Amino acid sequence: MRYETVIGLEVHVELATQSKIFCSCSAHSYGADPNSHVCPACCGMPGMLPVVNKRVVDFGMKAGMMLNCHINRTTTFDKKSYYYPDLPAAYQTTQWFAPVAVNGLVEIETSKGKKNVRIKQIHMEEDAGKLVHDIREDTTHVDFNRTSVPLIEIVSQPDLSSAEEVEAYLERLKTLLRYAKVAECEMAHGTMRCDVNLSVRPEGSDKLGVRTEMKNMNSIEAIKRAIEYETARHIDAIENGTEVLVQETRRWDDIKGKSFAMRSKETAGDYRYFPDPNVMPVVIDDEWYDGIKATLPEFPEVKRERYTEEYGLSEYDAEQITKSIALCECFEGAYAVCKSAKDAANWMISEVMSILNVRKMTYDMLTLDGAVLGELIMLVTDGKVGRANAKKILSAMFDDSTIKPAEYAEKNGFIVSNDTSLIEKVAREVVAADPKAVSDYKSGKEKALMSLFGKCMKELKGNCDPQTLRTVLINIVNSL
């Protein structure tokens, strides 16, 4: 019998706000000392009342709009009751009865073509703390820095059927949320985590099988491996009776490549949801709604089409640049100054992205001012700075955002010299020091001239017009 996998995802995304959802503590604690970003409110102390961070609601609405959701004009917060050591109040403030966004749709593309994935809802909630297990001390510590950091949870319908589709869906979510600048979506930093709900059924059946959930997965590769393992486990249980499948929450062990049972799967009744009396309903009027809608970015596919049709870029160049909104903004800023889309694209792809890769920075970490990059490109196209030295200037600009390319080039001796007497002097010295290269060139070996050319450029530190140097060099060699 042939089987099909049915997958629904619950994706938890940390919002890029400066402060937490219900207090003024910093929401950015990655790498900070444990319990250094906390206050009585986010630690669940008695008598502390929450105050909703409006920016969180802004980002929740914006995320919903990016995923084609309906925005609920009245959205409420509720208490989700459960006890766990990293949840100081013994309940989580979340949304159950009236989430901020519902009924969305995301289009993905895989090797099998395009597919729509329905979004059931997006709700805002506070994150829990973090348990740190110390094997040496045989104890567990609690770090509350992450407590009350604002999250949105994006709940899909069970429309996914393979690891490939899940990867495409997660990558699409990351792209859209990053374009909207509502989230970092770095799984390695824990700012994007995923719960995988999976079941298996006979191919063509409309009846869902027994569902299991794998919690808090923070790597796409691990998610893919877990889906493949769990699918095989379900099929083996169905066909060979190796175990009785039950609805449960499981933990994925990436080292062992297996999932292990944690607890029976909770239902809504287990959490005893009820409206949080300390948080008033949030009413979104037309002015607020329209204001957020006006800030929505151009979608990646729309940018790609515009870059090819209006700017004349190749499909490859447009595809590379639209991988990140930061790349797009830098490119457009550079183009506005240098007026050459092709030059701006070449610098973005060959130089800027290269530096990001060398420095192990993601594309979204780019903070380079596109207009300043445009000024640097102009120095090169106007023949004022050689490309090799321009690369040095660009690297310095990554370290110091205040650098002005023209001033930096002047200060560091990078301005191209048109002093032919100096060029001729250096060329004669290089030629005199390498008679073999001269002989090879005269015997028809063109590479010998390039060797002499390179030595001249090194002596001149790249600060001369290449064509002028070539002409002077040929004249000197031919006169011997």
Side-chain angles (χ1 to χ4, degrees):
M1 182 181 292
R2 296 175 63 88
Y3 296 91
E4 62 182 8
T5 309
V6 180
I7 304 168
L9 298 183
E10 298 168 15
V11 181
H12 305 262
V13 177
E14 186 177 304
L15 297 177
T17 58
Q18 292 302 309
S19 55
K20 295 184 178 181
I21 187 169
F22 297 122
C23 69
S24 60
C25 288
S26 172
H28 304 283
S29 60
Y30 182 77
D33 291 336
N35 299 307
S36 60
H37 290 65
V38 297
C39 71
C42 55
C43 278
M45 297 296 179
M48 299 305 297
L49 296 177
V51 178
V52 177
N53 182 346
K54 180 178 180 294
R55 194 69 169 159
V56 173
V57 183
D58 288 345
F59 282 4
M61 292 166 60
K62 199 169 185 179
M65 292 176 184
M66 291 296 290
L67 304 186
N68 302 298
C69 292
H70 167 75
I71 305 301
N72 280 328
R73 294 305 191 92
T74 299
T75 183
T76 58
F77 286 90
D78 311 291
K79 287 188 176 184
K80 178 182 180 180
S81 302
Y82 66 96
Y83 176 76
Y84 208 62
D86 61 5
L87 198 66
Y91 65 84
Q92 179 188 35
T93 303
T94 182
Q95 294 190 297
W96 177 256
F97 298 105
V100 68
V102 295
N103 301 329
L105 196 71
V106 173
E107 184 181 78
I108 63 171
E109 188 167 2
T110 66
S111 59
K112 294 183 179 180
K114 295 182 177 180
K115 179 177 183 177
N116 288 329
V117 179
R118 294 171 297 160
I119 304 296
K120 178 185 178 184
Q121 68 183 54
I122 299 175
H123 56 264
M124 303 175 288
E125 63 186 17
E126 60 179 344
D127 205 349
K130 181 180 180 181
L131 296 180
V132 182
H133 305 289
D134 192 322
I135 299 175
R136 293 169 301 178
E137 296 182 6
D138 190 27
T139 188
T140 298
H141 304 280
V142 184
D143 181 1
F144 288 126
N145 278 344
R146 205 172 64 185
T147 305
S148 279
V149 166
L151 302 176
I152 52 171
E153 182 174 338
I154 304 168
V155 184
S156 81
Q157 297 287 5
D159 291 344
L160 299 157
S161 58
S162 68
E164 183 188 11
E165 288 184 359
V166 167
E167 180 178 16
Y169 173 73
L170 291 174
E171 290 294 346
R172 181 63 174 170
L173 288 187
K174 288 201 292 186
T175 297
L176 292 176
L177 296 178
R178 285 171 172 172
Y179 260 67
K181 296 184 178 180
V182 301
E184 180 189 52
C185 295
E186 281 294 335
M187 299 188 86
H189 293 172
T191 58
M192 184 177 187
R193 307 189 296 276
C194 184
D195 298 343
V196 180
N197 292 278
L198 182 149
S199 64
V200 168
R201 65 186 178 189
E203 196 173 73
S205 172
D206 59 359
K207 184 179 179 181
L208 294 174
V210 176
R211 175 169 60 98
T212 58
E213 179 184 37
M214 288 174 285
K215 297 283 288 184
N216 290 327
M217 306 201 66
N218 59 3
S219 157
I220 288 180
E221 286 305 313
I223 290 170
K224 289 163 63 177
R225 292 181 65 205
I227 288 171
E228 290 164 2
Y229 171 86
E230 196 68 4
T231 298
R233 186 180 73 87
H234 278 235
I235 292 174
D236 191 35
I238 294 170
E239 289 197 334
N240 302 317
T242 52
E243 61 180 300
V244 177
L245 295 174
V246 295
Q247 182 170 307
E248 63 184 355
T249 298
R250 299 181 69 84
R251 175 182 63 85
W252 172 252
D253 188 319
D254 203 39
I255 296 176
K256 295 181 179 179
K258 295 181 178 181
S259 67
F260 297 90
M262 290 175 61
R263 58 181 181 269
S264 60
K265 183 75 176 75
E266 297 93 344
T267 64
D270 294 323
Y271 291 123
R272 304 183 303 282
Y273 287 100
F274 67 94
D276 190 332
N278 295 322
V279 186
M280 296 297 291
V282 177
V283 178
I284 301 168
D285 60 18
D286 290 345
E287 182 180 1
W288 189 359
Y289 179 91
D290 293 340
I292 296 298
K293 190 173 183 179
T295 67
L296 295 183
E298 193 175 32
F299 276 50
E301 53 272 21
V302 177
K303 277 190 180 293
R304 283 196 293 272
E305 184 176 354
R306 181 164 63 85
Y307 287 174
T308 55
E309 292 185 358
E310 291 185 20
Y311 296 169
L313 295 186
S314 67
E315 290 186 4
Y316 173 81
D317 286 354
E319 177 73 29
Q320 293 302 305
I321 293 170
T322 54
K323 285 181 176 180
S324 160
I325 187 63
L327 293 176
C328 292
E329 290 176 346
C330 188
F331 162 74
E332 292 179 15
Y335 168 69
V337 173
C338 73
K339 305 302 180 185
S340 171
K342 184 60 179 175
D343 285 343
N346 283 342
W347 273 86
M348 291 298 304
I349 295 169
S350 63
E351 309 302 344
V352 172
M353 293 171 73
S354 175
I355 291 176
L356 289 171
N357 290 332
V358 168
R359 299 189 180 203
K360 297 182 179 179
M361 298 168 63
T362 65
Y363 296 150
D364 289 285
M365 293 169 69
L366 177 66
T367 58
L368 182 67
D369 186 335
V372 180
L373 175 62
E375 294 174 13
L376 179 62
I377 295 171
M378 289 288 288
L379 291 177
V380 177
T381 55
D382 290 346
K384 295 179 179 179
V385 174
R387 192 173 181 98
N389 284 330
K391 292 179 183 179
K392 296 177 183 177
I393 297 173
L394 179 62
S395 182
M397 288 161 54
F398 268 76
D399 297 322
D400 184 354
S401 61
T402 65
I403 285 177
K404 297 186 184 331
E407 292 179 5
Y408 189 87
E410 184 75 42
K411 180 180 178 181
N412 290 274
F414 291 156
I415 300 296
V416 168
S417 171
N418 291 318
D419 184 351
T420 53
S421 61
L422 174 62
I423 295 172
E424 185 174 340
K425 177 179 178 294
V426 170
R428 287 189 182 280
E429 291 173 353
V430 169
V431 167
D434 196 347
K436 185 178 184 304
V438 173
S439 176
D440 288 345
Y441 174 67
K442 286 191 169 185
S443 64
K445 296 180 180 178
E446 184 67 26
K447 287 184 178 179
L449 182 67
M450 294 308 298
S451 174
L452 293 169
F453 181 89
K455 290 178 180 180
C456 290
M457 271 294 188
K458 184 177 180 180
E459 290 297 321
L460 291 163
K461 297 181 179 178
N463 299 328
C464 75
D465 176 59
Q467 190 57 48
T468 301
L469 172 60
R470 180 180 173 81
T471 302
V472 168
L473 195 57
I474 290 174
N475 289 338
I476 291 173
V477 172
N478 288 337
S479 69
L480 298 176

